[in-house]
Amino acid sequence: MNKKDYDKLVKKATPPSKKTRDFLFAFLIGGSICTIGQLLRELLLYLGFNEEKVGMTVSAALITLAAVLTGFKLFEKIAKHAGAGTLVPITGFANAVISPAIEFKPEGFVLGVGAKMFVIAGPVIVYGTVASALYGMVYWILSMF
């Protein structure tokens, strides 16, 4: 079988992509996560918390929610339908840290959880930090002129 025939066979066997549905679910679920965060923010401001504490509290609450949902294997079920809708908010980052920690827990806390916790999130942290430093240097150089 040549490559062209194989490609035809794959195309025939592969179900059609449901992009519109995928976009809709990503938008609705990602938007729902952000709406929950915004509602919590508004509630805390209404209760008299200052702006700085509100930001930290909302972030911590969303991270905790994602960690709990990941622990009960519910985050995976939500992400299956939401796609990138769960990856973009802070909840996706929390899931990326918690999932490997849970998966490698049987290997122990040092060689399992500690060593594998940042397998997924580590590159995001490294490249985000490097990009921030480069952006800062470019901004600093440009601000001198």
Side-chain angles (χ1 to χ4, degrees):
M1 179 178 285
N2 63 31
K3 183 174 175 18
K4 192 174 184 180
D5 291 336
Y6 179 75
D7 288 342
K8 285 181 185 178
L9 184 63
V10 168
K11 196 171 195 174
K12 183 179 177 184
T14 304
S17 176
K18 298 173 182 144
K19 289 181 184 172
T20 304
R21 191 198 76 182
D22 293 345
F23 291 146
L24 182 63
F25 277 131
F27 176 77
L28 291 175
I29 294 175
S32 296
I33 293 169
C34 294
T35 301
I36 290 168
Q38 186 66 34
L39 289 172
L40 182 57
R41 179 183 184 281
E42 295 301 323
L43 174 66
L44 292 173
L45 287 173
Y46 176 77
L47 293 175
F49 284 77
N50 68 30
E51 191 75 36
E52 184 179 334
K53 287 183 183 178
V54 168
M56 291 185 292
T57 304
V58 171
S59 295
L62 290 174
I63 289 168
T64 302
L65 177 63
V68 169
L69 291 174
T70 299
F72 287 112
K73 300 196 184 300
L74 295 174
F75 197 92
E76 292 175 28
K77 293 177 183 176
I78 295 168
K80 180 180 176 183
H81 299 290
T86 56
L87 294 178
V88 177
I90 196 168
T91 53
F93 185 78
N95 176 262
V97 172
I98 301 297
S99 291
I102 292 170
E103 182 179 346
F104 291 102
K105 185 179 175 197
E107 295 180 25
F109 284 108
V110 175
L111 296 176
V113 175
K116 304 292 185 176
M117 183 180 286
F118 293 102
V119 167
I120 297 171
V124 174
I125 295 169
V126 169
Y127 288 108
T129 303
V130 170
S132 298
L134 290 174
Y135 176 79
M137 285 189 279
V138 168
Y139 181 77
W140 177 68
I141 291 169
L142 292 176
S143 68
M144 293 172 47
F145 297 108

